[in-house]
Amino acid sequence: MEDAYARSVSEVLDFFGVDSSKGLTDFQVSQHARLYGKNGTPFWKLVFKQFDDLLVKILIAAALVSFLLALINGETGLIAFLEPSVILMILAANATVGVITETNAEKALEELRAYQADIATVLRNGCFSILPATELVPGDIVEVSVGCKIPADMRMIEMLSGQLRVDQAILTGESSSVEKDLESTIATNAVYQDKTNILFSGTVVVAGRARAVVIGVGANTAMGSIRDSMLRTDDEATPLKKKLDEFGTFLAKVIAGICVLVWIVNIGHFRDPAHGGLLRGAIHYFKIAVALAVAAIPEGLPAVVTTCLALGTKRMARLNAIVRSLPSVETLGCTTVICSDKTGTLTTNMMSVSKICVVHSIKNGPEVAEFGVSGTTYAPEGFIFDNTGVQLEFPAQLPCLLHIAMCSALCNESLLQYNPDKGNYEKIGESTEVALRVLAEKVGLPGFDSMPSALNMLSKHERASYCNHYWENQFKKVSVLEFSRDRKMMSVLCNHKQMEIMFSKGAPESIISRCTNILCNNDGSTIPMDATLRAELDSRFNSFAGKETLRCLALALKIMPMGQQTLSFDDEKDLTFIGLVGMLDPPREEVRNAMISCMTAGIRVIVVTGDNKSTAESVCRKIGAFDHLVDYVGHSYTAAEFEELPGTQQTMALQRMALLTRVEPSHKRMLVEALQNQNEVVAMTGDGVNDAPALKKADIGIAMGSGTAVAKSASDMVLADDNFATIVAAVAEGRAIYNNTKQFIRYMISSNIGEVVCIFVAAVLGIPDTLAPVQLLWVNLVTDGLPATAIGFNKPDSDVMKAKPRKVSEAVVSGWLFFRYLVIGAYVGLATVAGFIWWFIYSETGPKLPYTELMNFDTCPTRETTYPCSIFEDQHPSTVAMTVLVVVEMFNALNNLSENQSLLVIPPWSNLWLVASIILTMLLHILILYLPPLSTLFSVTSLSWNEWAVILYLSFPVIIIDEVLKFFSRNSHGIRFNFRFRRYDALPKKELRDK
């Protein structure tokens, strides 16, 4: 029944055909179970999803073709299987990581079950019984009371106490509990907060007792709709993932073109006798084309990206930002909007008393004193300050503060306790009542000079309610008048040393109107309440509630006749006013500076909350985040106001919005989608179950460490310290990681261009194969991978948080940079081929062939030569070429310490990890050259000193070339050149419109 909130009690009961005094019959239960029902992705799909990537598919095809060619050529043993096996092992490792990540993400849905009640008190067949909550059906009559978790969505039908209050913060984000009633709701487009007669599944009763009829179970509940929303949410690809996918598409086209070109260029050589026929010749050059594909694909790129992001997560963990999804590290770098939940994120989600107002004296006219209270959590830690800001050493020595502490402790039905497992103080009951208990602890006890230090010596468990227990032992509770909506107050009768005292608390307008006397704070005297005093107190109350938007309670007492054992409503008159307390869900102290830092970095903050507009605007003023706004017109909207705006006005509103109030889960998700449609990169913070769908939908979901398990599981990152300021540090780290990621991607691209040039030039010149596929694989995985990973340790720029967020459409390699790396790649390839040719023509240990003989190597068996044809199978030339390729790439790695700065400014030792990786890479390469089993496996041999000298001569110029290119980059000519080349992006852009 979707509109139960708008129907009367009798209409709802008639709809389900249930008698409120008897409940459903067994027949009706089975009938309703059939009619309404009762209260993850297959594993194989997850595995196959990891291989749905173009580069991965090309690699699989290359591995299969390589294996088939080896079989066709009659190769057996380790050599035939080495290359395809290595490729498939890499892909399997990547897939395993992906499956684990996706499986963890599905836990969010499972953890939603923790918010479902286990049992329910149900009326069936005229009798109450306790049943598993899963057996509830629509139409069941359920009784709920303090501490109960609501087992299903239910419509209130009968109030069994003066009031019923429910904490529904996990669903709506409201900072205080909500009073429920029986009246139907007339609001149009009612949101959860408007449905005051509905009890929502998973929320908790904090005061009162009532009966309700079940109107929704399972997926048809508010909590069920959150689960459905999360199931419908597809994970968005991160900006870097999109760029790498685009690069893969671009690379695939280039690879396909070059492979076909190489094959076509060599059609005339298919019939060469060396190949043994047309078909074998075609297969031989097809194998060269496959080698070219292997050279062009950066096999190590996924592993290096993952490693670099993992290193970033370690650094971020030290900043209390725990990353659950590796790609989200990079996403932080281009975040443009943070949609921040207010309750529990910008605020502590712990009601606390911040202001106290008492009457000091009336000697020279009414003199009212105000006190400030520090401490913003449920921890009994904080101090009382007078209106000049001076801390009171012994607050309990002041009569009004002493009696406020008494009343707060006694006229109270909540509990405050310390949870050693979580290391924090927790409430049971109404948050406003717990705030009063904490206030009583801060005031302390009278008559003990050592009181403050004595309290600090207690264990945290004893300290939680030490002063409250003291007052409860001093005063014995005799009778209680519960809070009711018409009186708006609560009273308790206590006995203390043969004296009966009634303490009352409630809405200021109710308490003050019943007061005839006032307690003075200067001497403890009681004086009559007059119109002037009443007007002054009303003025202070309006100031607290209006300008400061504090939630106010007034406290009073009354001396009762000796021996009185019960209370009636008639007793609640002729009270003595003690004081007025103002409380709020306080903003976190560090939030202001954090939000200012976000704005400096070009990141917009939108506060999103379930609270009402005025309360939220007041909190935002206290945070100081929106001091730049003259007023909130055009910047602050309720969800209903925003939805009613026409399309064009909504677009404008999104660009100016700073605050969105009265939201429910679907609104948060809607806001994220709307911002993403404007090409914004959105981070959403939150801690409640209600935040989970939006956290999952956002580009990066940020959960609070103290938040619900559902929110954490749906998020990409968790703030361990609940500190909004940690986001700023995480964004800075994310930007630095992206810059380093960009550097090693460029390094790998230029290296792979070199390998492609090497094979292509060799094929065009018609000389023997320069490098074997297995040698290319070794270079790509080991000698490329280690330095590329070490580049991830480059130090971040000092002004990383002063730049605006980069555009999502920004190419990783584009324009002038692509030209630079094309030049570098061309030199790498030509130097490798030069090393190969040098051995045949100039080396002292080589055959010193004329160049024409080298170009006609394939006809050697059919003609007479002065040299044996076996020299073309010598391993020296390919070893020299492979070593040139390795050494030139080591020098090229040094070029990537900075995009534009010279090695004279940023020397190699600025990144010792890179120096170490270069040394390790060279040691590994020397190992395969001089260790017989490995040299056989990679078809290489040992080199002489003379050969090493030539390798260094050929390799070192890559540094000189890049230094010249960097010089052009740093001056105006380079910039103009950059502009000229901008259209030729290495990574084609999907987004045509920049933000």
Side-chain angles (χ1 to χ4, degrees), residues 123 278 341 807:
L123 177 64
L278 178 67
D341 188 41
K807 295 181 176 69

Side-chain angles (χ1 to χ4, degrees), residues 329-402:
V329 177
E330 175 270 334
T331 309
L332 275 169
C334 51
T335 298
T336 58
V337 178
I338 297 176
C339 295
S340 176
D341 188 41
K342 178 185 75 70
T343 306
T345 306
L346 300 178
T347 65
T348 63
N349 196 19
M350 299 182 190
M351 274 289 186
S352 65
V353 174
S354 63
K355 284 281 186 78
I356 301 172
C357 175
V358 299
V359 174
H360 186 67
S361 72
I362 59 162
K363 287 181 181 177
N364 301 313
E367 186 183 342
V368 176
E370 286 188 9
F371 297 94
V373 185
S374 68
T376 57
T377 67
Y378 290 143
E381 300 157 2
F383 304 100
I384 316 291
F385 301 87
D386 64 20
N387 56 2
T388 63
V390 177
Q391 181 185 326
L392 302 184
E393 201 167 347
F394 302 107
Q397 290 180 356
L398 297 176
C400 285
L401 294 183
L402 175 65

